[in-house]
Amino acid sequence: MAPRHPLDDDRLTAVGLLMEVHEGLTSKFAPGLAAHGLSENELEILLRLGRTPNGQLRMSDLAAQTTLTTSGVTRVVDRLERSGLVERVTCDSDRRGTWASISADGMERVSAAVADHVGDIERWYTGLLSAEQLHALTEALRIVRDAVWPDAVAGAETSAATPG
């Protein structure tokens, strides 16, 4: 039996498929998000804020949780703030700290977008898998995420307290 070529490796295939799926889903989701006046990055920020107790996170925790750089988060929050979807709140106990807080309009916008977005998720992702496959995939992705991106939930547990 001939030895396998180094490029014929199931690990390369697995990571390649993951990248292709991400790009494909991003492409499929973009039109629906645009219909609600949101980009993928804006949705990510609004979802993270909307799903966090009190609807707020420190800017530094928001940056740690997202795929954006700190300056990228600042730019997205600036746009969302100009649109009235997010507000900045100064931390009383640490004047250097700033919280991003989802506004009522932001919660309304993200809720409307998610109502449609879930349909796209079902069509292009979860609906293609059995319940068992989805559960196994979710658990596997969580294991990898926790190893490579331990800050993905940074600040979520502490944001339940009043800012400051």
Side-chain angles (χ1 to χ4, degrees), residues 41-61:
N41 292 333
E42 291 165 338
L43 176 71
E44 182 178 17
I45 298 289
L46 291 173
L47 275 174
R48 290 195 182 267
L49 292 174
R51 293 179 67 167
T52 301
N54 292 336
Q56 58 194 15
L57 284 166
R58 283 182 177 271
M59 291 289 288
S60 57
D61 290 333

Side-chain angles (χ1 to χ4, degrees), residues 31-95:
L33 296 177
H36 288 277
L38 295 173
S39 69
E40 179 182 5
N41 292 333
E42 291 165 338
L43 176 71
E44 182 178 17
I45 298 289
L46 291 173
L47 275 174
R48 290 195 182 267
L49 292 174
R51 293 179 67 167
T52 301
N54 292 336
Q56 58 194 15
L57 284 166
R58 283 182 177 271
M59 291 289 288
S60 57
D61 290 333
L62 197 51
Q65 286 188 21
T66 66
T67 58
L68 300 169
T69 63
T70 303
S71 62
V73 166
T74 298
R75 284 191 299 275
V76 173
V77 169
D78 285 346
R79 281 196 311 271
L80 292 170
E81 190 175 33
R82 282 192 300 273
S83 299
L85 304 178
V86 168
E87 301 162 345
R88 281 192 173 87
V89 179
T90 303
C91 179
D92 291 334
S93 65
D94 179 2
R95 296 257 180 239

